[in-house]
């Protein structure tokens, strides 16, 4: 009977959404370790430390600090009390939005795409907590809500979910070989495939580390766009060797015996150059740090995003409506966080503030370049001063 009772699925879905806030409260109390600190952003009063053991204590501390502001005479400036999270101060009222802001500032939640999903989930939760009418949920929606809630709780306690939709664990990268020719033919295979093949006329070979697995959810739709200098694949790919012949590739593979690794593909920091009316594809900060003085010219942007195309779309959007995309902090129009803009030096400094010391490297100019994709199929068109959107059909 329950399998066909959609009202039961709706109750389960609603309760799961309410659990999200309870999970945040429980994690907040653990994170506090017995005390919370509030500081006046205006610098008018000394910091306030309040002991807390339960979330009721947290609410009481928030109210107590608020009363301190109301005691000041009207003609005097009022303090602006904010919660101290590490070296950051955030607005915090103890409600769901404040808890989400705290979890982000504390580094407990990750991913730029999921930032928007968290906001949407909060809106749905509000509709459940304050209903205005009858609603019904399907089994599929309920199953997804439960799955998302499990991922959310896992992440709050520091455990990303393998194969997760919201907070995925790092994924494995294999050593693979890519081969292409001037006729537009591009192939990818496991590196050991070099042992089973013979040189084909006109083909060049490179070896890279790649996430892409045909037929899996990690099949990279842009694998054939690999460029050693730019981040042009959906998942991070790493240049190892090439280009050269099959025999040379196999000789290097046997001599070096490279291994696969794992890579986290969310919250990457990219640097993008804007020069002479062109937005260049995203670069890894280490590659950008290794550029020559001539290559450093122009305006640079440092952006945190899950995928390079999100960073590129954000920077390109900065040239549109003046307020469409944020020039600092979280962007409300796209899944990106703007870290800084300006000269190459300023942008590189913004990257180092986000990820630590950046060691310059200069990979060779290896681009899987074929006539098939020149100027027509890439999301970022390196050959044109007007970047075009990637075809999706």
């Amino acid at each position: 009977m329950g399998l066909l009772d959609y009202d039961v699925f709706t109750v389960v879905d609603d309760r799961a959404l309410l659990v999200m806030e309870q999970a945040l409260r429980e994690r907040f109390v653990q994170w506090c370790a017995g005390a919370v600190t509030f500081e006046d952003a205006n610098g008018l009063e000394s910091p306030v430390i309040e002991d807390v053991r339960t979330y009721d204590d947290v609410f009481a501390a928030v109210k107590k600090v608020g009363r301190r502001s109301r005691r000041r005479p009207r003609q005097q400036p009022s303090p602006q009390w904010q919660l101290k999270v590490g070296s950051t101060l955030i607005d915090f009222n103890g409600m769901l939005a404040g808890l989400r802001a705290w979890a982000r500032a504390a580094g407990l939640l990750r991913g730029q795409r999921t930032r928007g999903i968290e906001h949407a989930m909060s809106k749905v939760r509000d509709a459940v907590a304050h209903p205005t009418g009858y609603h019904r949920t399907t089994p599929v929606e309920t199953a997804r809500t439960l799955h998302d809630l499990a991922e959310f709780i896992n992440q709050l306690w520091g455990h990303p979910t393998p194969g997760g939709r919201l907070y995925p664990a790092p994924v494995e990268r294999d050593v693979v070989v890519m081969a292409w020719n001037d006729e537009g033919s591009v192939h990818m295979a496991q590196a050991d495939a070099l042992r089973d093949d013979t040189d084909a006329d006109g083909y060049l070979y490179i070896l890279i580390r790649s996430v892409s697995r045909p037929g899996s959810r990690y099949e990279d739709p842009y694998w054939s766009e690999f460029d050693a200098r730019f981040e042009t694949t959906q998942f991070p790919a790493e240049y190892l060797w090439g280009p050269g012949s099959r025999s040379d590739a196999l000789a290097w593979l046997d001599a070096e015996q490279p291994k696969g690794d794992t890579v986290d593909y969310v919250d990457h920091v990219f640097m993008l150059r804007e020069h002479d009316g062109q937005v260049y594809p995203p670069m890894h900060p280490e590659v950008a740090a290794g550029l020559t003085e001539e290559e450093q010219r122009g305006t640079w942007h440092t952006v945190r995003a899950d995928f390079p195309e999100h960073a590129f779309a954000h920077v390109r959007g900065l040239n549109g409506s003046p307020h469409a995309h944020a020039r600092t902090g979280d962007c409300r129009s796209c899944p990106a966080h703007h870290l800084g803009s300006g000269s190459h030096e300023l942008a590189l400094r913004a990257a180092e503030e986000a990820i630590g010391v950046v060691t310059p490297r200069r990979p060779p100019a290896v681009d899987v370049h074929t006539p098939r994709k020149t100027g027509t199929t890439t999301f970022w068109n390196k050959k044109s001063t007007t970047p075009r959107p990637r075809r999706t059909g």
Side-chain angles (χ1 to χ4, degrees), residues 273 275 287-298 300 343-345 362:
R273 180 191 186 199
H275 185 56
V287 177
L291 296 176
T292 65
E293 184 175 346
E294 175 69 23
E295 294 167 330
Q296 293 177 11
R297 292 182 179 179
W300 285 81
S343 65
H344 178 270
E345 180 182 359
R362 190 172 178 84

Side-chain angles (χ1 to χ4, degrees), residues 176-189:
V176 302
V177 58
M178 294 184 66
W180 73 98
N181 63 15
D182 291 336
E183 301 300 321
S185 179
V186 185
H187 304 278
M188 181 197 290

Side-chain angles (χ1 to χ4, degrees), residues 64-82:
K64 183 177 179 180
V65 169
R67 287 195 294 270
R68 291 172 65 98
S69 299
R70 292 192 291 270
R71 293 196 192 106
R72 300 179 69 89
R74 291 185 177 180
Q75 64 271 22
Q76 294 185 10
S78 296
Q80 181 184 352
W81 293 106
Q82 294 182 309

